Amino acid sequence: MAKAAQSDELRAAFEKHEGETHGQVERLEQVFASIGESPKGKTCDAIVGILDEGKEIMGALDAGLLAAAQAVEHYEISRYGTLKCWDKELGYSEAVKLLDATLKEEKNTDSALSQLAESDVNIHAETAQAA
């Protein structure tokens, strides 16, 4: 999505979050270690569907790319929030702390994308549509 973005600000937001994602993967590995489990990769059909939807609009306006990115963020917020709640109930305090850090990053990214949409990207979409 970063490569397809026309807005420098949107591209920078995508690239920033990609960097954060690497830290989130490391944090998830720590979560598994803290509960005595080994991480195993699994394809998430929901995320694959959201990403496929995003690929369909890669050539479209930045507003569409941003909307697809926020759909992923909302899914991640939901999942990290649920995992944090479950780990809290199970008494995995270290996992809760790690998941909370990731949850905060995801919420911050969503907020930044919303601000970008409202201040720049959606305005350009309206202008392009009017032209």
Side-chain angles (χ1 to χ4, degrees), residues 48-125:
V48 170
I50 292 170
L51 292 175
D52 285 346
E53 187 178 286
K55 287 177 190 173
E56 288 178 22
I57 57 173
M58 285 288 203
L61 297 171
D62 282 352
L65 295 172
L66 197 146
Q70 281 196 282
V72 170
E73 292 309 307
H74 294 175
Y75 186 86
E76 291 175 332
I77 289 167
S78 170
R79 291 302 178 240
Y80 285 122
T82 298
L83 292 172
K84 178 184 164 189
C85 181
W86 287 347
D87 284 350
K88 185 176 180 181
E89 290 295 321
L90 294 169
Y92 296 134
S93 58
E94 182 63 22
V96 169
K97 185 172 74 172
L98 293 163
L99 290 167
D100 188 55
T102 296
L103 184 58
K104 285 178 182 173
E105 284 178 352
E106 296 296 350
K107 287 179 178 180
N108 288 340
T109 296
D110 180 55
S111 178
L113 291 174
S114 289
Q115 289 175 5
L116 186 56
E118 293 168 3
S119 68
D120 182 55
V121 173
N122 290 348
I123 294 166
H124 284 95

Side-chain angles (χ1 to χ4, degrees), residues 25-56:
V25 169
E26 291 174 14
R27 220 177 281 129
L28 280 173
E29 290 170 349
Q30 293 173 2
V31 167
F32 278 97
S34 75
I35 63 172
E37 296 289 334
S38 298
K40 296 176 186 77
K42 183 179 181 205
T43 300
C44 176
D45 293 335
I47 290 293
V48 170
I50 292 170
L51 292 175
D52 285 346
E53 187 178 286
K55 287 177 190 173
E56 288 178 22

